[in-house]
Amino acid sequence: MAALYESYTLCALADTGPEGTRAIEPGRDRDRVVITESGRAVTVYKVSDQKPLGSWTVKQGQCITSPAVYNSQTKEYVVVTDEKVVRVWNDEDISIEKAFKATVSAEVYRVHSVPDQEPLVLFRHGAVRFLDSLLAAPQQPIEEVLSEEEVIRWSAAVQTEQQLVLLFSTEQRGQHCLYVQRFSPNALVKHKLETDSTNSAPLSYAATYRDGNIHLLYLFSSGCVYESVLQAWPTVPAVSETVQALPRSLLLKLPVGEGELTAASALPIDEAHIAVVGVPHPSAGAGKDYLCIWNTHFQTLQAGRELAGKIYGQLWCYSGKLFVPHGKTLSVIPFECQKSSLAAAMGKLKQTSVTNESNSGPTLVPSWNALLHADQTQTQTQERSRGAATKKSKTSTRNQSSCPTAEQLAEKIKVGSEKEVQKQVEAFLHGSQPEELQLTAGRLASALVTRCQADPTFYPQAALTQLVQTNYLCHSGCPDLLMLTLEKSDFCLCQLCLQLFQDIPEAVTCWCLKTILSVQDSELEQVDLEEDSLLFMKALTQTAEVSDGDSGQPNGFCPPVLEEESCDAPPDSEVPGTKPPRDPLALDMSCPVGPHKGALLNEVLQTPYSDSLLLPHLKDLSVPQVILLLQYLRFLYLKYSQDAHSRIPALRKPAVTQIMDWVCLLLDAHFTVLVLAPEAKSLLSSLHKFVRSQVKLYSELGKIEGSLEALKKSKQSREIGQYSIEVIELF
């Protein structure tokens, strides 16, 4: 059996175009992917954080004609622009225009890269070259393998145990062929693909290697899924021009309704399951698009997920995750496939047997609602006593009988009272297994939020909090939840979402920040926030009061008020024998916000974000809000410079790098406005003095860096006893 877990958004697709996302390729490790979209941009994403690690674009007028791939041998990226220009760059390159490029003599169809192998370059007329040999002589003549009317529709590189194999399909006047290119020895074999009785055309191909053979899976517009098996090592290398028939077997006949499929894709995810997108769900109405997992051994539907927006018939699978572009979103859907069995495929999951001596009540009947998760009760071990097994069986029976199903709970949410819904959600969470919660948490939370938006008097805060605390919920699974907490001024649940959601969009993060800054401290004092975050803020403000009378500063820290120079007055304006004037704001070590507001601001500071995406939204903050936030960030940095935070035990607290990053972002977004605002003059002056003092400190440290390095590398020329005195002069 198989299960689709809660999905999340990897990125937004600004302009998918008629073809959707051009390609998704594996990156440096299992947690990175290389995405080519819109014909001009290449972006590397870290999947677990849903954040871009690097992005490169080509100039206006240029177009990416072959998606970017990662070359694991050289740690570089390869892409083809304008069909003939091959570009190579690495993560450190800021601009793709300044990277290496070479113009080849023929049009390139696709570059394929397999881990630990040299990339292959497939030309539009069927010729193949290894990347290094092509770049060594870019203008080398390229032969034409295909006829003028023959067009490549799909290609893939498959790594077998002994060699690399390239496959590509072609179309000519409605006839479809498959070419198999082997390199050791060099041989090209052409196969003819059979057409079915309806003369439908293949929509997608997928090739995998298992059990010593290459398995080719292809989906026709009629809904038929066929499989052909190719030998990784043919008995006789074929070099003749004879076209060989490609045997095939029907794996699955998908329901297509009226007409034929137009944009669909099938992808094998293990030897018994395939993922399909763009094919109607057999139980859903017309006009709805689904991602489904089918069992090919038993011809059964195992899991389904409705997708909003336009479907482009594209699907990728890496590291146990499915990548599906739909609408203007690229969604990541984790999945799991268990060992195929007839009982699991038909929903007859094996239940815990009860001993003859036990009276445990009615027998548990498998429910079709449990098709997407594993066995609800675990088999008792032989070491346990019969009495303990009987007691556990009775408890499990009671929990199953009182626990509502996800469908029942969803219907109850639509019409039930707040108290009834809270009771049902609590019972469901108490009686459900983790596998079921992973599948239903987002659906139930969305149903609750939809009811809250339709009925302003309905707000089951406890039920929403319990769903968030399961850790099976993310922002993309219920995108309106965080905004609902701000609308209801539920800052307790808002704090919990900020802590647990790792995929909050930058626009929502900025809206949370704006709302928190606009709320009065007196109003937030009544909110029951997390105790650990409040204790950290209270301890930090208390250390501020204690440190006011302490002139000593650890780690060489020198506050800006003790500097000899001032940016407000020239040095010659000082009176000899008197202390320089002190800036009142620089001396003020008190926190500009209350502990509750500070605790919420700390959660926002720790939220993952992208600089380029967050910066435009920060410009929506008003000048008073920016000044207040800068004052708070300055307070935090001054306390961190005194190591006050290290003496306070706390589970979550912002890092000093996060504080400085936010200061830089705020200044970048509002620098012109702050310079012209009179109320911000003293704050900017204080920040300037503080930064100058830090630059001076690091400059002094840099002067002795060479001496310290030499001292560290120096070797003792003679043996030294247990005690010695040595004088070292630093110049």
Side-chain angles (χ1 to χ4, degrees):
M1 64 182 302
L4 291 171
Y5 295 135
E6 202 64 44
S7 64
Y8 53 89
T9 300
L10 180 61
C11 63
L13 305 178
D15 184 14
T16 54
E19 298 182 358
T21 302
R22 187 171 291 274
I24 300 177
E25 296 286 341
R28 176 182 298 181
D29 51 48
R30 293 172 58 87
D31 197 28
R32 299 188 186 189
V33 292
V34 183
I35 299 178
T36 306
E37 61 167 316
S38 71
R40 293 190 59 222
V42 177
T43 308
V44 178
Y45 279 91
K46 187 174 183 181
V47 180
S48 59
D49 294 340
Q50 299 97 56
K51 297 299 178 183
L53 301 179
S55 182
W56 300 267
T57 58
V58 297
K59 289 183 178 180
Q60 188 73 28
Q62 297 176 345
C63 181
I64 296 177
T65 53
S66 174
V69 297
Y70 180 74
N71 185 355
S72 60
Q73 287 188 332
T74 61
K75 306 297 188 295
E76 294 174 326
Y77 302 96
V78 183
V79 75
V80 178
T81 60
D82 301 328
E83 297 182 333
K84 290 187 177 183
V85 182
V86 181
R87 300 175 184 268
V88 181
W89 78 98
N90 55 36
D91 289 310
E92 286 71 28
D93 291 328
I94 300 177
S95 173
I96 195 175
E97 294 298 326
K98 299 180 180 179
F100 172 84
K101 64 179 179 180
T103 302
V104 296
S105 59
E107 295 180 353
V108 175
Y109 174 76
R110 191 74 179 259
V111 178
H112 291 282
S113 181
V114 176
D116 301 323
Q117 295 288 338
E118 184 180 348
L120 294 172
V121 180
L122 173 63
F123 290 87
R124 288 196 177 275
H125 289 288
V128 182
R129 295 288 189 275
F130 283 99
L131 180 63
D132 287 349
S133 62
L134 178 64
L135 296 181
Q139 291 299 313
Q140 60 182 276
I142 304 298
E143 67 276 10
E144 294 186 0
V145 178
L146 308 178
S147 62
E148 293 183 359
E149 298 180 354
E150 200 169 3
V151 181
I152 299 178
R153 296 301 185 190
W154 167 85
S155 63
V158 180
Q159 176 64 53
T160 66
E161 294 178 355
Q162 298 173 325
Q163 67 169 324
L164 189 64
V165 179
L166 180 68
L167 299 93
F168 59 95
S169 67
T170 63
E171 179 184 2
Q172 182 181 11
R173 298 179 181 178
Q175 297 294 326
H176 297 269
C177 296
L178 177 73
Y179 289 81
V180 182
Q181 174 71 63
R182 297 177 175 87
F183 302 95
S184 181
N186 189 12
L188 179 64
V189 182
K190 181 179 180 180
H191 300 274
K192 181 180 179 180
L193 296 180
E194 300 180 17
T195 58
D196 54 15
S197 57
T198 61
N199 293 323
S200 60
L203 296 179
S204 73
Y205 299 85
T208 57
Y209 175 76
R210 66 175 187 270
D211 301 330
N213 295 315
I214 298 174
H215 294 255
L216 178 67
L217 186 82
Y218 40 106
L219 169 66
F220 276 74
S221 57
S222 61
C224 294
V225 180
Y226 295 98
E227 183 184 45
S228 297
V229 180
L230 301 168
Q231 292 183 353
W233 279 85
T235 54
V236 179
V239 294
S240 64
E241 297 181 356
T242 304
V243 179
Q244 302 181 10
L246 184 63
R248 69 181 185 183
S249 59
L250 179 63
L251 281 186
L252 188 65
K253 180 66 173 69
L254 297 171
V256 298
E258 299 180 359
E260 291 187 338
L261 302 175
T262 56
S265 180
L267 193 66
I269 51 181
D270 68 4
E271 60 182 10
H273 296 89
I274 63 172
V276 180
V277 68
V279 177
H281 193 287
S283 301
K288 295 183 178 180
D289 294 309
Y290 276 80
L291 168 68
C292 298
I293 294 182
W294 287 81
N295 188 308
T296 57
H297 287 180
F298 305 108
Q299 312 288 299
T300 57
L301 175 64
Q302 296 288 283
R305 176 71 52 81
E306 185 178 357
L307 301 174
K310 181 182 178 181
I311 294 296
Y312 302 96
Q314 295 177 306
L315 183 64
W316 294 270
C317 178
Y318 299 114
S319 305
K321 302 178 183 66
L322 294 170
F323 297 78
V324 188
H326 56 100
K328 293 187 177 182
T329 300
L330 176 61
S331 294
V332 180
I333 307 177
F335 69 91
E336 181 181 7
C337 292
Q338 299 178 359
K339 187 176 180 179
S340 178
S341 66
L342 181 60
M346 298 304 297
K348 306 296 184 180
L349 299 179
K350 188 169 58 178
Q351 302 294 323
T352 305
S353 59
V354 183
T355 59
N356 296 331
E357 292 82 356
S358 65
N359 278 325
S360 59
T363 305
L364 292 177
V365 180
S367 171
W368 282 102
N369 297 320
L371 275 177
L372 301 183
H373 60 82
D375 194 352
Q376 296 293 320
T377 55
Q378 298 179 349
T379 305
Q380 306 295 325
T381 57
Q382 296 181 355
E383 291 79 5
R384 296 184 179 179
S385 63
R386 290 184 177 181
T390 304
K391 182 177 179 181
K392 184 172 183 179
S393 179
K394 291 180 179 180
T395 304
S396 177
T397 303
R398 289 195 299 269
N399 289 340
Q400 291 294 329
S401 60
S402 61
C403 174
T405 64
E407 287 75 12
Q408 293 172 345
L409 182 55
E411 293 299 324
K412 190 68 175 179
I413 290 174
K414 296 179 181 179
V415 296
S417 64
E418 185 174 320
K419 186 176 181 180
E420 291 174 343
V421 169
Q422 169 60 38
K423 185 178 179 180
Q424 292 291 318
V425 170
E426 185 175 353
F428 177 79
L429 295 178
H430 181 71
S432 300
Q433 297 295 323
E435 294 85 357
E436 186 174 8
L437 290 178
Q438 286 180 327
L439 295 171
T440 58
R443 175 186 173 188
L444 296 177
S446 298
L448 287 171
V449 172
T450 302
R451 172 77 185 279
C452 293
Q453 293 173 339
D455 183 5
T457 62
F458 180 83
Y459 184 65
Q461 194 264 359
L464 290 170
T465 301
Q466 289 177 330
L467 284 172
V468 175
Q469 288 175 338
T470 62
N471 282 329
Y472 296 132
L473 195 62
C474 58
H475 182 272
S476 56
C478 185
D480 296 327
L481 175 58
L482 194 50
M483 299 299 290
L484 178 66
T485 62
L486 299 177
E487 179 184 343
K488 298 292 185 179
S489 297
D490 186 1
F491 293 101
C492 179
L493 183 54
C494 176
Q495 182 188 33
L496 188 61
C497 293
L498 290 173
Q499 290 177 348
L500 299 181
F501 292 174
Q502 298 298 313
D503 59 339
I504 301 176
E506 285 74 3
V508 179
T509 300
C510 194
W511 189 260
C512 292
L513 179 62
K514 189 174 183 178
T515 304
I516 295 170
L517 290 172
S518 61
V519 179
Q520 298 295 328
D521 287 319
S522 57
E523 182 179 344
L524 290 175
E525 289 177 359
Q526 309 301 324
V527 180
D528 185 18
L529 296 180
E530 186 188 45
E531 191 65 25
D532 181 73
S533 61
L534 289 178
L535 290 177
F536 173 75
M537 283 303 303
K538 292 177 181 179
L540 199 64
T541 53
Q542 288 174 359
T543 57
E545 298 174 0
V546 175
S547 61
D548 283 343
D550 186 8
S551 60
Q553 302 294 344
N555 297 334
F557 172 76
C558 178
V561 297
L562 298 181
E563 286 196 6
E564 297 178 358
E565 298 181 6
S566 172
C567 62
D568 296 331
D572 55 3
S573 63
E574 296 182 9
V575 179
T578 63
K579 296 182 179 180
R582 295 176 177 265
D583 189 339
L585 183 61
L587 282 175
D588 185 12
M589 293 290 291
S590 61
C591 184
V593 299
H596 287 72
K597 182 177 290 188
L600 292 173
L601 290 176
N602 289 344
E603 301 298 346
V604 176
L605 298 181
Q606 298 173 77
T607 303
Y609 64 88
S610 171
D611 295 2
S612 58
L613 298 179
L614 180 63
L615 191 61
H617 298 290
L618 286 177
K619 297 180 180 180
D620 295 335
L621 297 177
S622 63
V623 174
Q625 290 174 340
V626 174
I627 293 177
L628 179 60
L629 184 55
L630 282 174
Q631 289 175 344
Y632 177 67
L633 292 172
R634 176 184 174 278
F635 163 78
L636 285 180
Y637 195 79
L638 288 174
K639 301 312 301 175
Y640 276 47
S641 299
Q642 297 175 347
D643 288 338
H645 68 293
S646 61
R647 299 190 292 269
I648 304 174
L651 297 177
R652 285 176 56 86
K653 49 188 174 183
V656 64
T657 54
Q658 292 174 326
I659 297 172
M660 291 308 299
D661 288 343
W662 273 91
V663 171
C664 296
L665 284 171
L666 286 172
L667 292 178
D668 287 343
H670 294 273
F671 184 76
T672 303
V673 178
L674 291 174
V675 169
L676 298 177
E679 61 270 26
K681 181 179 179 181
S682 58
L683 175 62
L684 293 178
S685 176
S686 177
L687 290 173
H688 172 70
K689 293 178 184 179
F690 182 79
V691 171
R692 189 174 57 182
S693 68
Q694 297 298 297
V695 172
K696 182 177 180 180
L697 171 62
Y698 283 104
S699 177
E700 295 297 328
L701 292 175
K703 294 179 181 179
I704 64 173
E705 181 181 5
S707 301
L708 293 177
E709 288 293 333
L711 179 61
K712 182 179 179 181
K713 296 179 181 179
S714 63
K715 297 182 180 180
Q716 297 176 350
S717 58
R718 56 187 177 84
E719 293 291 335
I720 299 178
Q722 295 181 354
Y723 177 78
S724 66
I725 297 177
E726 185 175 358
V727 178
I728 300 176
E729 296 183 1
L730 298 178
F731 297 95

